[in-house]
Amino acid sequence: MTRTRTPLIAGNCKMNGLVAASMGLAAELAARATDAARAGSLKAEILLCPPATLLAEVGRLVAGSPIVTGGQDCHAETAGAFTGDISAEMLADIGCRYAIVGHSERRSLHGESDADVLAKASAALRAGLGAIVCVGETAAERDGGEALAVVERQVRGSVPSTSDAVVVAYEPIWAIGTGRTASPADIGEVHSHLRAVLKDHLGPKGNEVRILYGGSVKAGNAAAILATADVDGALVGGASLKADDFWGIVTAL
Ligand code: PGA
């Protein structure tokens, strides 16, 4: 398959990982990615999003390897009285390259609206980060035939229309952490719709935006998912916590 966009394989560790395990994972992945790059076989950009407590330390460890780091969220403001929050500028300051925004766990557990996600994505871009904007329908919405309308509404409401430094992650909520993945046909249908919406929303730049799939991606199903048209990589949760599992996805490209 000829690709026009460099695939991105992103690991979202969520609230998992104490120092020893996270640093061991990052070291192992950095070593494998460095070897693959030297051998000319690395086909993807690789992103690790460890817990915020370890972002700086993981960033120092992977510096000089092909792996980059990103935050799992960011605040919309630059600085201020926002206890517990982290700004996009703070992420950029410690060498992060991306921020995930609007993950369904943030949307549902922290009540984030499309407008909130748009503000966070704009903040990430302002700080010079790539914004990975997550969208995805619930099981009830899919069963009701609303999946395409839901993700379109989320893209129009939460993707800044001013920059192509965005990545969109399609993550059907019913597939996250459940072991159920959308079929390649369903993924292809949503991604091709998202591509059309992004071209309408961003103009020709919409063709440059990478669209990742997320939701129970594993080494065993990654090849079929990544070979689907308009799938430009994966956002990986559970399988990003073990080097063999994550690397199996990177090498499925
Ligand atoms: P999962 O999570 O791979 O564990 O399903 C994906 C995500 O939430 O980004």
Side-chain angles (χ1 to χ4, degrees), residues 44-194:
E45 185 180 5
I46 304 175
L47 168 65
L48 275 186
C49 300
T53 48
L54 294 172
L55 256 179
E57 207 172 340
V58 167
R60 280 191 290 274
L61 189 144
V62 301
S65 85
I67 296 183
V68 297
T69 55
Q72 298 175 11
D73 180 41
C74 68
H75 196 276
E77 300 294 332
T78 312
F82 302 103
T83 301
D85 280 313
I86 296 172
S87 72
E89 282 73 11
M90 290 170 173
L91 295 176
D93 190 40
I94 57 163
C96 286
R97 302 280 287 280
Y98 290 92
I100 300 171
V101 293
H103 189 280
S104 64
E105 287 151 18
R106 301 289 317 174
R107 289 178 185 264
S108 66
L109 302 175
H110 298 264
E112 294 183 7
S113 66
D114 282 340
D116 295 328
V117 178
L118 177 66
K120 289 180 173 209
S122 304
L125 298 175
R126 178 189 69 211
L129 301 174
I132 302 178
V133 181
C134 303
V135 300
E137 81 284 0
T138 63
E141 288 164 342
R142 172 154 286 270
D143 292 344
E146 295 164 50
L148 297 184
V150 168
V151 297
E152 173 166 353
R153 191 178 65 234
Q154 290 175 327
V155 165
R156 291 193 189 278
S158 52
V159 173
S161 58
T162 48
S163 167
D164 59 358
V166 287
V167 175
V168 170
Y170 168 55
E171 299 207 303
I173 293 167
W174 48 270
I176 294 177
T178 60
R180 288 177 65 201
T181 39
S183 68
D186 287 342
I187 296 171
E189 182 188 30
V190 174
H191 280 231
S192 118
H193 185 64
L194 288 173

Side-chain angles (χ1 to χ4, degrees), residues 12 14 103 105 171 175-178 214-217 235-239:
N12 171 14
K14 309 192 180 183
H103 189 280
E105 287 151 18
E171 299 207 303
I176 294 177
T178 60
S216 299
V217 178
L235 182 53
V236 182

